[in-house]
Amino acid sequence: MPRNLKDTLKEIQILLGKPHKRIAGAFKYYLSFLNVKESSEKNEDAAPKEEKIQAVNHGKITWVDVKNPTRKEISELAQKYPFHPLHLEDCVSKSQFPKIEQNDEDRYIFILLRFPSLNISDQSISMNQLCFFLGHNYLVTIHENENSVISKIFEDCKDNEDRRKAYIGNSSSHLLYTIIEQLTEGLSPLLRSILTEVDLVEDIVFDDKVSGVYQVGQLRRKIISLRRVIGPLRALLADMSARVTKFSKSNLSVYYTDITHRVDRTWETLEEARETVDIYKDADFTINTEKTNTILSVLTIIFTLSIPATIVGTFYGMNILLPGGIEGGSWTFFGTYTTLIIIMILATIPALLMYLYFRKKGWF
């Protein structure tokens, strides 16, 4: 049965114990966000092509999975569960910071995580925002990517009763552990991809015929993106262990500690990769600088050796009388090209002497 605006305001009034008028003013924004309509209004929205909210049950535990939520789906969740409007708003907002917040009054935990995923086609890394509402007998997951790990686990629970029992167990906390454990396992392909690129960059950097500036920059960008996600995740998992266990009959601290150790190892691997890539960056800079210096040295030597010929040519290009010049008459005692031969000798001897001096100094 659809709920009208008056009923919604009355429930909020009872919940917070505020006067009706103050409730109407304070929650005007959230009511419009949740898309609550009067019963007399007609909903002209077309029926969705696919069911975005799906549920699966095992014993007393209910798992509700929401894919690509809109405000309509968020409004439905608000009617079924005692979720705070700010938590619901975070679910549809993009690029939220990871957080874990506990609502003691309504007895649920809100968890917002960001997990990286590897695109096999172009080997790029994308970030996915995941939201969890954990209660004593339910777990609500909200995510965007339909091909995510959560969707695969949910389909397994729907189709296979044994898998459902294994994943959900006897508590919603165990189901949350199963999902996060699968998500952290997905970090392994990312690390393998990063380490493979590190090896490739090493070959490129120490090849003096190829520039590795672009490859080093792209790899550093990937590592920085992963560190931005893994860093907050480490702190969040450490805080999550104690809070989530309260919603389970059995102690799950050991399981969550294992996940924390896996994420810590991921962080350490990223730190090693970052330090290695920084070394490669410095090495590439040094190699390119040395290559540039070598080129400049060769060009400088060539220019220096040509100075004597330039000076001699400059004198004979002046409009003055010079021995062997056109005005004074060319020398011919060695033949027709006597003047040219003597000028070439005068230019070559100083250049040869400079060459021998440079070699003695070890400049090249």
Side-chain angles (χ1 to χ4, degrees):
M1 179 179 179
R3 307 169 70 184
N4 55 31
L5 179 61
K6 183 178 180 180
D7 295 335
T8 304
L9 289 174
K10 187 178 296 183
E11 286 189 5
I12 299 176
Q13 178 182 351
I14 296 173
L15 178 63
L16 299 181
K18 293 184 177 181
H20 180 82
K21 291 183 179 180
R22 291 181 61 187
I23 287 293
F27 283 85
K28 182 179 179 181
Y29 169 75
Y30 295 116
L31 291 174
S32 62
F33 169 76
L34 296 176
N35 198 24
V36 180
K37 300 182 179 181
E38 292 289 346
S39 59
S40 59
E41 295 181 3
K42 295 183 179 180
N43 186 2
E44 299 179 354
D45 297 338
K49 295 182 180 180
E50 60 178 357
E51 189 69 24
K52 293 187 176 182
I53 300 180
Q54 301 184 52
V56 62
N57 299 308
H58 177 72
K60 297 181 180 181
I61 309 300
T62 301
W63 179 12
V64 178
D65 183 52
V66 185
K67 302 177 185 177
N68 299 317
T70 62
R71 293 187 176 182
K72 179 181 178 182
E73 286 74 34
I74 296 299
S75 177
E76 293 180 13
L77 289 178
Q79 295 176 15
K80 295 179 180 179
Y81 297 95
F83 298 153
H84 195 281
L86 291 178
H87 293 161
L88 294 172
E89 184 179 0
D90 289 340
C91 294
V92 294
S93 300
K94 308 298 181 183
S95 302
Q96 292 290 321
F97 289 104
K99 65 176 71 174
I100 175 170
E101 297 177 353
Q102 185 168 350
N103 191 316
D104 294 329
E105 183 179 355
D106 295 320
R107 299 180 181 179
Y108 75 87
I109 294 179
F110 174 69
I111 304 171
L112 191 151
L113 301 177
R114 289 173 60 81
F115 266 91
S117 61
L118 178 65
N119 299 323
I120 304 300
S121 57
D122 55 358
Q123 293 297 308
S124 62
I125 298 176
S126 58
M127 302 300 167
N128 301 318
Q129 179 173 296
L130 311 173
C131 297
F132 303 89
F133 291 91
L134 176 66
H136 282 286
N137 58 353
Y138 65 85
L139 175 67
V140 178
T141 55
I142 302 176
H143 55 99
E144 300 175 359
N145 190 359
E146 296 183 358
N147 297 323
S148 65
V149 174
I150 297 180
S151 296
K152 295 178 181 178
I153 298 176
F154 188 83
E155 293 299 325
D156 285 344
C157 289
K158 284 179 58 179
D159 300 336
N160 193 313
E161 185 175 353
D162 294 335
R163 293 282 183 88
R164 187 187 315 159
K165 182 178 180 180
Y167 289 155
I168 298 179
N170 58 358
S171 67
S172 56
S173 299
H174 188 276
L175 175 59
L176 178 63
Y177 158 75
T178 301
I179 295 175
I180 297 179
E181 195 266 341
Q182 294 283 342
L183 289 170
T184 53
E185 280 189 357
L187 297 175
S188 298
L190 284 172
L191 291 180
R192 286 196 295 268
S193 175
I194 293 294
L195 296 178
T196 300
E197 290 192 39
V198 169
D199 294 336
L200 294 176
V201 166
E202 180 182 5
D203 297 335
I204 294 175
V205 166
F206 293 102
D207 186 355
D208 57 354
K209 296 181 180 179
V210 181
S211 176
V213 175
Y214 178 77
Q215 287 80 359
V216 171
Q218 289 296 105
L219 183 55
R220 293 184 74 222
R221 179 181 179 183
K222 287 185 179 181
I223 294 175
I224 291 173
S225 298
L226 287 176
R227 291 179 76 250
R228 287 176 179 174
V229 176
I230 302 300
L233 183 61
R234 296 174 65 205
L236 203 64
L237 288 175
D239 188 24
M240 185 188 305
S241 177
R243 297 192 183 190
V244 169
T245 304
K246 297 179 181 179
F247 291 82
S248 175
K249 297 179 182 179
S250 57
N251 189 358
L252 299 177
S253 300
V254 178
Y255 297 94
Y256 282 94
T257 301
D258 181 67
I259 295 178
T260 304
H261 290 166
R262 180 183 301 171
V263 175
D264 289 340
R265 289 193 296 269
T266 302
W267 176 263
E268 294 172 0
T269 303
L270 287 176
E271 282 294 294
E272 293 176 1
R274 182 181 65 86
E275 294 175 359
T276 303
V277 172
D278 287 342
I279 294 174
Y280 291 163
K281 178 178 70 69
D282 295 339
D284 184 71
F285 176 78
T286 303
I287 292 173
N288 288 333
T289 301
E290 183 68 21
K291 187 188 301 182
T292 302
N293 292 338
T294 301
I295 295 174
L296 291 177
S297 299
V298 173
L299 295 177
T300 302
I301 291 173
I302 293 174
F303 172 75
T304 303
L305 295 179
S306 66
I307 290 177
T310 303
I311 295 175
V312 173
T314 300
F315 276 106
Y316 275 89
M318 298 180 181
N319 192 18
I320 58 176
L321 293 175
L322 291 173
I326 297 177
E327 293 81 358
S330 301
W331 292 323
T332 57
F333 48 85
F334 285 148
T336 306
Y337 302 105
T338 301
T339 302
L340 176 62
I341 293 173
I342 293 177
I343 291 175
M344 292 296 295
I345 292 174
L346 292 176
T348 303
I349 290 176
L352 182 60
L353 292 176
M354 285 191 293
Y355 173 79
L356 295 175
Y357 177 77
F358 295 158
R359 291 288 292 182
K360 184 178 179 180
K361 288 289 186 179
W363 291 354
F364 66 91

